[in-house]
Amino acid sequence: MKQTLLVYNTLTRQKERFEPLHAPNVGMYVCGPTVYGDPHLGHARPAITFDVLFRYLKHLGYKVRYVRNITDVGHLEHDADDGDDKIAKKARLEQLEPMEIAQHYTRRYHQAMEALNVLPPSIEPHATGHIIEQEELVKEIIKNGFAYESNGSIYFDIEAYNKKYHYGILSGRSLENIKDESRSLAGVGEKHNQADFALWKKAQPEHIMRWSSPWSDGFPGWHCECTAMGRKYLGKKFDIHGGGMDLVFPHHECEIAQAVAAQGEQMVKYWMHNNMITINGQKMGKSLGNFITLEQFFTGQHESLTQPFSPMTIRFFILSAHYRSTVDFSNDALIASQKGLEKLQNALADLDRIQPADHCDAETERVVKTLRQKCYDAMNDDLATQLVIAALFEAASVVNKLTDHKATICKECLDELKDTMKLFAEDILGLRADHGADNDAREKSYGKIVDMVLELRAKAKANKDWATSDEIRDRLAEAGFEVKDTKDGAVWKLNV
């Protein structure tokens, strides 16, 4: 059955039916990291949110070109047009070349994304690899009368733009409000108006990263890269532009202004934004100094953590809330996510141990027959992953009853239950088995040995040798093997 997907468009402030410009092709651009430090939980949320969208669009049959950039130049401190480039500053502190910094933290980001089971994008362009495209964008904006040169730097002329178009259409801010926010800086610096933003910055003598241009040796403004690279790989009009809600202003607002100033029309049809992860109600981020790196979550090496948390626990934690809602971090919330994930993954593992009966009981049949559409309905309603998880939990409860012989299921329904649970949990939500490939190999290699030991335990139980039976179970538990007795005999699994 053809699915109708609704997505929330930040531009129109409402849910809209997703209708690609050139179906079945879909163009999607998502703002990636500025690579000057280790990835943290704030990086994980947009990566996971748009990974799920990428997976779901492909599942629906769309051919998706997913572009996610690497910002390795031009992102100045405090998102302003003055101060240090974040990567260049890190390079000076560590006495390294800027590209060494960018390469190192890009690699760290990729490692974290792989651990989180985030699929790689179709294209991952770097800002430094597209200086020419950014210069061409600036030339177009100048030619159309919406930018000016000042001391070798080029600034976007918001006053001129606002006379013909509307600056603030995405964020809902008016030009007067933006001016008021920057009034304290009025008359300072080389801009005509402090609300104007840099398209090209002349490099100061001490600035490490610089390129030649018609205006000066310098570097592009941060906002230019996404507009230039989005146009290069997805065309002058494409379907989805995503990122964190903190990018709505100024970054995405400036992207819209640049595209319209250059080509006379909007570049993006659907603007989608995930909300923030907070700590005690405050946004988590490097600039605030309150972030926890993903490696610290995986190792437990942070004062806010009482234990390590697996990458899939982090993914489950993020998907347990709607992507447009704020998620407040706490150690207790992660422990709850760990338990929830374990419940779901145990049910997925137990599916392969269930023996079908001749018929289903009424409750089992009801859950199985409605599960797939419940999950589709949730995904189609602006990616309500938390409702997909709730439906999967209901199915997990049925699996528990089946393994405890408190319910029955026919072969047709069992096949449907397996297919649906694995489709949504693993393929769409991306919640792969938490123990990873190493433990899979261990489980297979130990399988015959454990089965043989359990046969000895079964003989001990048959002989009412309860002491030996309990000792075998306890010794297996010490080695990481959990044994569960059922009416059909003992089953086991290898814990991490």
Side-chain angles (χ1 to χ4, degrees):
M1 187 176 77
K2 185 173 174 60
Q3 304 297 324
T4 300
L5 172 62
L6 298 178
V7 297
Y8 184 86
N9 190 347
T10 307
L11 185 65
T12 60
R13 294 165 180 75
Q14 63 184 7
K15 292 179 188 176
E16 297 179 3
R17 180 172 178 162
F18 179 67
E19 295 177 328
L21 294 165
H22 305 290
N25 298 299
V26 172
M28 180 168 76
Y29 188 103
V30 176
C31 290
T34 301
V35 283
Y36 69 104
D38 275 334
H40 56 72
L41 198 58
H43 292 117
R45 193 171 197 193
I48 290 169
T49 295
F50 292 100
D51 179 60
V52 169
L53 178 58
F54 183 35
R55 289 167 178 268
Y56 191 57
L57 289 172
K58 291 199 298 181
H59 170 70
L60 294 181
Y62 293 113
K63 184 179 180 181
V64 186
R65 178 177 287 178
Y66 176 17
V67 180
R68 187 186 68 210
N69 68 298
I70 295 291
T71 296
D72 54 1
V73 68
H75 194 166
L76 304 184
E77 291 186 288
H78 313 299
D79 300 343
D81 289 324
D82 294 301
D84 287 331
D85 181 293
K86 293 182 177 183
I87 293 167
K89 181 180 180 182
K90 186 82 168 183
R92 280 197 299 272
L93 289 172
E94 298 193 13
Q95 295 184 321
L96 296 170
E97 282 290 326
M99 285 300 102
E100 287 184 89
I101 295 294
Q103 182 68 21
H104 174 73
Y105 288 111
T106 298
R107 186 165 56 248
R108 298 279 288 173
Y109 178 78
H110 287 157
Q111 290 168 346
M113 293 304 103
E114 185 176 355
L116 291 167
N117 201 23
V118 171
L119 299 175
S122 315
I123 302 173
E124 191 175 56
H126 291 230
T128 52
H130 297 78
I131 300 298
I132 293 174
E133 288 83 357
Q134 294 176 75
E135 287 187 12
E136 289 302 315
L137 172 68
V138 176
K139 289 176 184 177
E140 289 179 50
I141 296 172
I142 293 172
K143 180 183 177 181
N144 292 336
F146 299 112
Y148 57 90
E149 182 177 353
S150 180
N151 298 326
S153 293
I154 305 297
Y155 293 98
F156 191 93
D157 191 335
I158 289 182
E159 287 269 18
Y161 177 84
N162 208 53
K163 287 176 182 177
K164 185 172 183 179
Y165 302 108
H166 177 200
Y167 184 80
I169 191 172
L170 185 68
S171 63
R173 300 187 184 204
S174 70
L175 184 55
E176 289 306 313
N177 287 338
I178 296 166
K179 285 181 179 179
D180 287 342
E181 290 173 8
S182 57
R183 196 173 297 280
S184 61
L185 297 173
V188 178
E190 57 193 19
K191 300 179 185 180
H192 293 175
N193 188 313
Q194 284 304 315
D196 295 345
F197 58 90
L199 299 174
W200 184 266
K201 286 288 289 182
K202 180 181 179 180
Q204 297 304 310
E206 70 275 8
H207 200 92
I208 308 172
M209 303 174 79
R210 59 176 66 214
W211 291 262
S212 61
S213 79
W215 317 290
S216 64
D217 280 358
F219 54 94
W222 171 40
H223 311 305
C224 286
E225 63 176 289
C226 293
T227 305
M229 295 190 293
R231 293 202 309 174
K232 180 178 177 68
Y233 295 110
L234 299 174
K236 291 189 175 181
K237 294 194 75 173
F238 57 89
D239 299 296
I240 298 169
H241 195 316
M245 199 169 286
D246 57 331
L247 297 179
V248 171
F249 187 89
H251 186 46
H252 289 168
E253 194 73 79
C254 294
E255 276 197 65
I256 289 176
Q258 290 171 159
V260 174
Q263 63 192 41
E265 62 178 347
Q266 262 273 17
M267 190 168 66
V268 178
K269 186 174 182 182
Y270 305 97
W271 286 89
M272 297 179 66
H273 296 91
N274 63 275
N275 214 321
M276 299 295 98
I277 292 179
T278 59
I279 298 181
N280 299 320
Q282 186 181 38
K283 175 196 164 187
M284 177 185 292
K286 283 193 181 76
S287 60
L288 299 172
N290 66 346
F291 66 96
I292 304 174
T293 70
L294 291 172
E295 184 178 14
Q296 287 171 326
F297 278 107
F298 302 159
T299 62
Q301 300 300 309
H302 191 277
E303 60 185 12
S304 299
L305 304 173
T306 59
Q307 64 180 74
F309 293 97
S310 72
M312 285 303 98
T313 298
I314 301 301
R315 188 175 180 108
F316 186 88
F317 169 68
I318 288 171
L319 295 178
S320 295
H322 191 273
Y323 78 91
R324 287 192 292 113
S325 66
T326 303
V327 175
D328 199 50
F329 159 80
S330 72
N331 193 81
D332 290 344
L334 281 179
I335 290 173
S337 291
Q338 184 180 53
K339 291 177 180 178
L341 176 64
E342 184 178 356
K343 175 183 176 181
L344 181 57
Q345 291 188 327
N346 285 345
L348 287 166
D350 288 342
L351 279 169
D352 294 327
R353 298 178 179 139
I354 295 170
Q355 296 299 315
D358 294 333
H359 68 282
C360 292
D361 64 83
E363 178 63 11
T364 298
E365 185 173 20
R366 179 193 69 79
V367 172
V368 173
K369 295 292 187 184
T370 59
L371 177 62
R372 185 176 292 258
Q373 195 56 51
K374 277 185 178 180
C375 291
Y376 273 128
D377 288 345
M379 288 299 298
N380 290 335
D381 187 13
D382 194 33
L383 310 182
T385 55
Q386 79 283 7
L387 298 182
V388 176
I389 290 172
L392 292 173
F393 274 171
E394 185 179 22
S397 296
V398 168
V399 173
N400 291 338
K401 290 178 182 178
L402 291 167
T403 55
D404 291 339
H405 299 276
K406 294 178 181 178
T408 57
I409 190 168
C410 67
K411 185 179 185 308
E412 179 185 353
C413 285
L414 179 58
D415 290 343
E416 170 67 11
L417 184 60
K418 285 181 181 179
D419 186 59
T420 303
M421 289 190 72
K422 290 183 177 181
L423 167 65
F424 283 94
E426 297 177 358
D427 297 345
I428 294 175
L429 296 188
L431 296 168
R432 67 184 172 200
D434 215 3
H435 46 65
D438 291 343
N439 274 27
D440 280 339
R442 286 173 59 204
E443 192 164 326
K444 288 177 182 177
S445 64
Y446 295 155
K448 292 182 180 180
I449 299 172
V450 176
D451 288 341
M452 180 182 70
V453 172
L454 289 178
E455 285 179 16
L456 296 174
R457 180 172 178 264
K459 290 179 181 178
K461 290 181 70 175
N463 294 329
K464 301 188 185 307
D465 184 357
W466 309 118
T468 300
S469 170
D470 290 346
E471 184 180 4
I472 291 173
R473 181 198 62 209
D474 294 342
R475 294 288 291 275
L476 284 171
E478 289 173 8
F481 297 92
E482 180 181 335
V483 177
K484 183 177 180 181
D485 291 310
T486 73
K487 290 183 179 179
D488 296 324
V491 294
W492 62 274
K493 68 175 181 177
L494 177 60
N495 290 322
V496 181

